[in-house]
Structure formats: C-alpha cells, structure tokens
Amino acid sequence: VFCRHDNYRDFTDVDVRCENTGLAHVWANKGGIVLSLTYRGTTRLSFLSAHLAAHEGAPHYAARCDNLDEILNGAKNHAYYDVALSSHHLFVLGDLNFRTRFAVHRNETTTTQRKSSSTTKTVQPDDNGTNDDDKEPPSSVDRALALVEQQDYKKL
C-alpha cells in the first residue's frame, strides 16, 4: 500500500498479518496477507490480498470459501473480530480464482458448438440452461464464443 509522502503521518496503527492455506496449511503457495491501518485516527482500512485454490466445481468453490474464512480468522487483528468486522472498509484483491458463469435466460436461443473428432455438433441449451448431452450449463467461454459468432456484441 502506497501513500503520498506528505500524508504518511495520517496513517497509524499499521498491522500486517498473513495466513497460509497451501499444502498442510504451511506452504505459502496459497493464502493471504491482511494489512490494516487507521487513517487520521478515525477510519480503519484493511486490505486483503489472497491467492486461493483453483479449478472448477463445487468442491473447489467450497475450498475457496474455506480459504477466505481461514485467512480472515487466522489474520485477526482483534481478539473477537476479523478485519471484515473490525474495519470500516475492507478491500479484497488478488487471484481469488472464483469462476463466472453466464445465466441462460428462457427466451435466449444461444447455441454452443462443440467439436468431436472431425464433426461439429450444435447443442441447444434447454429452459434450465443445460444440454441433453452433459446436463451442465455451457461454460462462460462457450457462451462468449457463441455471442461473438452471432455478432451479438451488446450481450457480450
């Protein structure tokens, strides 16, 4: 965190803590650093920089949420509260690895093309956004590619 030289005295109570969530909760390949400080004696600011578990699917999503919980609880700067509660403002940054999915709307006619060996098959999402083939919604990349192919840049 940087500040102008003529403002550095406005920041007090600087506290830096870290929490490893990597292999055996020892390796620092995953985890977070929390920096908290007070601005002009009245406003508590905290910055959380994290690198969370990767990959798609419910178990990996749960692992990312657990990582955040572990970082917040392990890097407490207050006896009872983590920085999300003990700060006026918390800024969360880093490689959080949360995945984005586009919602499929009922009236949408987006198709996804998937290549299988030398043939191309067009898959039409049903009303729930799933395909008959794999019963999973199209990935965000597939949806974006379909919108580019349709030249529908407003929805992109």
Side-chain angles (χ1 to χ4, degrees), residues 56-58 99-105 108 110-114 123-144:
E56 292 191 36
R99 306 305 196 237
T100 303
R101 289 186 179 238
F102 292 105
V104 176
H105 302 288
E108 207 169 51
T110 301
T111 59
T112 304
Q113 291 191 353
R114 296 188 182 175
V123 180
Q124 182 75 27
D126 64 14
D127 286 344
N128 297 321
T130 58
N131 303 318
D132 289 334
D133 289 332
D134 55 12
K135 291 298 180 194
E136 287 186 19
S139 73
S140 56
V141 173
D142 289 340
R143 296 278 318 269

Side-chain angles (χ1 to χ4, degrees), residues 52-55 60-66 68 95-100:
L52 303 180
H55 309 297
H60 300 290
Y61 175 82
R64 284 187 286 280
C65 292
D66 289 344
L68 275 176
D95 186 359
L96 304 179
N97 278 313
F98 283 98
R99 306 305 196 237
T100 303

